[in-house]
Amino acid sequence: MPLATTASIVATAPGGVCAFNIITLEHAEAVAAAAERVGAPVILQVSENAVRFRLGRLHPLAAAASAIAAASAVPVALHLDHVTDDALMYQAADTGFSSVMYDASRDPYEVNVARTKAAAEWAHENGLWLEAELGEVGGKDGAHAPGVRTDPVEAAAFVSATGVDALAVAVGSSHAMTSRVARLDHELIAALRAALPVPLVLHGSSGVPDDELRQAVAAGMKKINIGTALNVAFTEAISGSFAENPSGADPRPRLAAARDGMIDATAHLLRTVCGV
């Protein structure tokens, strides 16, 4: 199936849409396999941090993800996530990505508006869908205050001033949580949904329990970003493999176990968020 676009997946999904951050080839294979298992569209996300890990090169992982998406039996789109470097964003247009999350949330509000507006204009000129962030989602590199919440009035003004296509909002989740104990502000989600003409995005969803995710989607969240949950499944499976066979030198059984663990975790989250 040809690469889908983030815009088309978000626009046509009756409920929530899952977007999973990938780091390795096994991550991408697992997400696509799980999406096929449950029959749901999915978004593969590559973050600026993942690009840094991959020696600063976007193209190799993007090419692998594009090939996996093209071979999938369900719609799969590519999204460049948490970009702060304009030079990296500019690579998205010719590497298979249909959308970018531009992150100027650490800047003062007026600077965030100016930078995000310029990014949105560039993205639209190049046929890309642009997501931004307002209200600082907790836990990102320790720089964001967990107690911050996105104000609906300010968010509406931000969307109007920047022309973004989606907005990540702070409603109680935090990045990099390994325990699913977060509690979301569902009244705030509903207020943001009523105030904004663009889809809402939940970052830090790995730490949100299933029932909270379902309520968030019902209240108006559309794109649900997940990364740490896959990494937990990956590392737990690798650890189990070493416990069973500490001296094995072939990495393939360990990586296969990690991929299988991520498939199961991804399929569960897809069913939870998409209702399939």
Side-chain angles (χ1 to χ4, degrees), residues 18 21 37 79 98 103 122 150 165 194 205 208 235 241 252 262 269:
C18 283
N21 283 79
R37 178 188 291 180
H79 175 80
S98 63
D103 187 359
W122 175 87
T150 302
D165 301 296
S205 304
V208 182
T235 54
S241 175
R252 287 172 293 183
M262 289 190 291
L269 287 160

Side-chain angles (χ1 to χ4, degrees), residues 14-16 18 34-35 37-41 214 266-276:
C18 283
R37 178 188 291 180
V38 304
R214 294 188 191 100
T266 300
H268 174 79
L269 287 160
L270 282 166
R271 292 189 183 101
T272 299
V273 170
C274 303
V276 293

Side-chain angles (χ1 to χ4, degrees), residues 147-245:
V148 170
R149 298 290 183 268
T150 302
D151 177 76
V153 174
E154 186 177 62
F158 182 85
V159 169
S160 177
T162 59
V164 297
D165 301 296
L167 189 68
V169 292
V171 294
S173 59
S174 294
H175 289 91
M177 288 184 68
T178 56
S179 298
R180 303 185 71 193
V181 295
R183 289 293 179 263
L184 304 180
D185 187 335
H186 298 287
E187 289 186 6
L188 177 57
I189 294 171
L192 288 162
R193 176 64 276 152
L196 301 182
V198 298
L200 301 179
V201 184
L202 183 67
H203 286 207
S205 304
S206 292
V208 182
D210 288 349
D211 61 333
E212 289 279 316
L213 286 176
R214 294 188 191 100
Q215 290 180 60
V217 171
M221 278 292 172
K222 191 65 178 181
K223 178 171 173 277
I224 308 298
N225 287 14
I226 301 160
T228 301
L230 269 65
N231 298 336
V232 169
F234 185 107
T235 54
E236 285 181 349
I238 291 285
S239 296
S241 175
F242 274 101
E244 292 175 4
N245 182 14

Side-chain angles (χ1 to χ4, degrees), residues 57-221:
R57 298 172 186 146
L58 174 61
H59 286 66
L61 185 56
S66 294
I68 289 167
S72 178
V74 297
V76 180
L78 303 188
H79 175 80
L80 190 57
D81 193 36
H82 274 291
V83 174
T84 63
D85 180 1
D86 288 4
L88 176 60
M89 178 178 69
Y90 297 151
Q91 296 180 52
D94 57 3
T95 46
F97 293 90
S98 63
S99 58
V100 176
M101 187 272 170
Y102 189 76
D103 187 359
S105 63
R106 296 184 190 180
D107 293 326
Y109 177 80
E110 294 300 335
V111 177
N112 188 354
V113 167
R115 290 185 62 195
T116 303
K117 182 176 186 292
E121 290 173 350
W122 175 87
H124 296 158
E125 288 170 0
N126 288 274
L128 302 180
W129 188 89
L130 193 96
E131 173 188 333
E133 180 178 310
L134 186 67
E136 296 188 335
V137 176
K140 190 65 178 178
D141 296 330
H144 299 268
V148 170
R149 298 290 183 268
T150 302
D151 177 76
V153 174
E154 186 177 62
F158 182 85
V159 169
S160 177
T162 59
V164 297
D165 301 296
L167 189 68
V169 292
V171 294
S173 59
S174 294
H175 289 91
M177 288 184 68
T178 56
S179 298
R180 303 185 71 193
V181 295
R183 289 293 179 263
L184 304 180
D185 187 335
H186 298 287
E187 289 186 6
L188 177 57
I189 294 171
L192 288 162
R193 176 64 276 152
L196 301 182
V198 298
L200 301 179
V201 184
L202 183 67
H203 286 207
S205 304
S206 292
V208 182
D210 288 349
D211 61 333
E212 289 279 316
L213 286 176
R214 294 188 191 100
Q215 290 180 60
V217 171
M221 278 292 172

